[in-house]
């Protein structure tokens, strides 16, 4: 197949967001010839820039892997905010608190701006990684043992395996003919950057209300990120308000512990659940949001993506070291067998929470009171939840 002029690579990754960049870095550090195609490079960091509205809660499992890749120290030189406690409640007088101390850890995770996490990974790219950016894929052709991508400059890239890490609307997934399952939730979420009157906080909390959760994620200094889940029509109304008007609305519905915050800016996101029917087709394999999108309720999306990325790169590096075919079907099948059920379990757990806590039907109200009471009294259960949150169990 292919063209005489095609450039040859072991692996081509499409999408250099947080997941694709981590994969590109891990594989190129292991000595594979890697190409990365990305439509837009991350902007350079300026300490005076306002925090990105898109932030992620990064668990300890992801932190450990990012440290091994060398990206964590870059993040520490930019911005990140550790948190020690995670609180969940319906009424502010009955808070269930999960504490890092319960599992003998110094923290449960960090809140990190998505664009800085992506940038920290890009800053580690070694010289043997070939970057095509800005670039978009225009065509995919496959044979039994390789895949040929054409990009908008007209260049062609031939590789043993293509990894699609191009997000929830993955173009590569469509080009590879992989269908999806899922739905759009009726709710959407508003996110806002706020200035708070308190010194840097070490707690992230979530209040469950019949119209949807209200959450606070701490940021460095006296700032934070709030997430307001509500009916999609209501969220769209809120999204067009000026900061001062949105501040007034926040004060009406958020619990008192938020304090007298001031909104700096805001945006909104639709909520969708999506599960790809297969994680691979021929020589194309999916990772991160290209394979699954999850309700962001418990901040697990990119942590699941990093877990995909870590396993996939370990399998590929091991095959490469043993001089086996790095895109063979057994390898891809193993990846799918291990990651798909784990991702589905997390998605369904989040949907269970969403149903249990997101409405005011009598029996469910009683059940959730019971769940919170049990959680607040059982130190074993609290320890289990804290371990789940950090990604270790
Ligand atoms: C409101 C909200 C809050 C969230 N909070 C959390 C949280 O607290 N914790 C958490 O773990 N997750 C969270 N998530 C989920 C998290 O943001 C995603 O799981 C994560 O961004 C997925 O990373 P990714 O690299 O797979 O995809 P993306 O971040 O979508 O990156 C895809 C990359 O591919 C590039 N690209 C796309 N198409 C093409 C193309 N055709 N050609 C070339 N390049 C292309 C894009 O430019 C981008 O760089 C949240 C999501 C939302 C909506």
């Amino acid at each position: 197949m292919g063209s005489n002029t095609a450039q040859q690579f072991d692996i081509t990754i499409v999408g250099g967001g947080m997941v694709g960049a981590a994969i590109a870095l891990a594989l190129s550090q292991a000595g594979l010839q890697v190409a990365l195609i990305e439509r837009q490079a991350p902007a350079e960091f300026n300490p005076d820039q306002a925090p990105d509205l898109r932030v992620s809660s990064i668990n300890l499992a992801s932190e450990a892997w990012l440290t091994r890749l060398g990206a964590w120290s870059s993040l520490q030189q930019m911005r990140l905010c550790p948190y020690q406690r995670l609180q969940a409640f319906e009424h502010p007088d009955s808070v269930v608190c999960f504490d890092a101390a319960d599992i003998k850890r110094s923290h449960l995770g960090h809140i990190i701006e998505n664009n800085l996490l992506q940038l920290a990974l890009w800053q580690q790219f070694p010289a043997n990684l070939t970057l095509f950016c800005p670039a978009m894929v225009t065509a995919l052709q496959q044979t039994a043992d390789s895949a040929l991508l054409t990009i908008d400059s007209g260049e062609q890239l031939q590789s043993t395996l293509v990894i699609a890490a191009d997000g929830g609307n993955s173009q590569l997934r469509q080009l590879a003919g992989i269908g999806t399952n899922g739905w759009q939730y009726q709710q959407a979420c508003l996110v806002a950057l706020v200035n708070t009157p308190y010194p840097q906080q070490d707690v992230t909390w979530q209040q469950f209300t019949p119209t949807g959760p209200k959450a606070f994620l701490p940021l460095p200094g006296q700032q934070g990120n709030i997430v307001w889940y509500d009916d999609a029509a209501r969220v769209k109304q809120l999204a067009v308000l000026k900061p001062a008007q949105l501040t007034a609305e926040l004060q009406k519905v958020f619990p008192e512990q938020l304090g007298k915050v001031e909104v700096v800016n805001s945006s909104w996101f639709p909520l969708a659940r999506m599960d790809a029917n297969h994680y691979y087709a021929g020589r194309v394999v999916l990772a991160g949001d290209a394979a699954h999108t999850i309700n962001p309720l418990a901040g697990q999306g990119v942590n699941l993506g990093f877990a995909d990325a870590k396993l996939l790169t370990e399998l590929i590096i091991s095959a490469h070291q043993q001089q086996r075919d790095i895109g063979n079907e057994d390898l891809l099948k193993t990846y799918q067998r291990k990651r798909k059920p784990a991702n589905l379990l997390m998605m369904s757990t989040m949907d269970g929470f969403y149903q249990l806590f997101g409405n005011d039907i009598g029996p469910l109200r009683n059940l959730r009171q019971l769940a919170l009471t049990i959680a607040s009294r059982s130190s074993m259960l609290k320890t289990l939840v804290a371990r789940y949150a950090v990604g270790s169990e």
Side-chain angles (χ1 to χ4, degrees), residues 121-362:
L121 289 158
W122 278 55
Q123 286 173 343
Q124 315 308 314
F125 285 166
N128 62 322
L129 177 92
T130 309
L131 202 51
F132 295 86
C133 179
M136 299 275 288
V137 171
T138 54
L140 163 75
Q141 288 168 261
Q142 298 211 53
T143 64
D145 55 10
S146 72
L148 180 76
L149 289 171
T150 307
I151 57 174
D152 47 2
S153 62
E155 290 166 284
Q156 293 195 308
L157 289 66
Q158 186 161 34
S159 350
T160 309
L161 185 65
V162 168
I163 302 177
D166 52 346
N169 294 320
S170 172
Q171 176 207 15
L172 253 284
R173 187 182 64 225
Q174 288 160 35
L175 287 175
I178 302 176
T180 62
N181 240 297
W183 59 80
Q184 190 90 25
Y185 296 94
Q186 284 179 350
Q187 289 201 323
C189 72
L190 178 99
V191 297
L193 170 68
V194 295
N195 290 328
T196 92
Y198 305 126
Q200 183 167 322
Q201 298 180 54
D202 68 352
V203 59
T204 177
W205 51 257
Q206 189 145 161
Q207 180 182 30
F208 295 98
T209 75
T211 54
K214 313 278 177 287
F216 173 81
L217 296 88
L219 290 173
Q222 288 183 259
Q223 291 197 303
N225 189 286
I226 63 95
V227 192
W228 178 343
Y229 293 79
D230 214 313
D231 179 67
R234 170 87 171 124
V235 165
K236 285 182 200 167
Q237 282 170 354
L238 293 168
V240 296
L241 295 180
K242 298 220 160 61
Q245 295 169 310
L246 185 55
T247 299
E249 292 300 316
L250 271 184
Q251 301 295 350
K252 287 186 211 158
V253 301
F254 269 64
E256 235 172 59
Q257 76 184 91
L258 182 66
K260 293 255 169 275
V261 297
E262 269 173 18
V263 172
V264 180
N265 55 12
S266 64
S267 183
W268 73 277
F269 297 90
L271 302 178
R273 169 177 166 146
M274 183 280 292
D275 174 46
N277 295 341
H278 308 282
Y279 277 16
Y280 67 93
R283 295 271 163 171
V284 176
V285 60
L286 313 178
D289 272 26
H292 44 78
T293 58
I294 177 173
N295 190 322
L297 190 62
Q300 288 299 329
V302 79
N303 291 303
L304 296 181
F306 284 140
D308 294 346
K310 182 167 177 289
L311 176 68
L312 184 60
T313 54
E314 283 168 359
L315 292 169
I316 292 171
I317 292 167
S318 161
H320 174 66
Q321 285 166 347
Q322 293 165 31
Q323 297 179 341
R324 286 189 287 119
D325 175 5
I326 54 172
N328 76 77
E329 189 169 5
D330 283 349
L331 183 158
L332 301 177
K333 216 181 249 171
T334 303
Y335 166 68
Q336 174 174 276
R337 181 168 46 77
K338 293 196 170 170
R339 289 306 307 155
K340 203 172 195 297
N343 291 331
L344 274 170
L345 176 66
M346 182 63 88
M347 285 162 136
S348 301
T349 308
M350 285 312 110
D351 282 340
F353 267 120
Y354 188 68
Q355 291 300 332
L356 180 60
F357 287 97
N359 68 66
D360 212 18
I361 301 168

Side-chain angles (χ1 to χ4, degrees), residues 23-34:
I23 293 173
L25 183 56
L27 294 178
S28 50
Q29 283 177 345
L32 283 103
Q33 291 307 312
V34 177

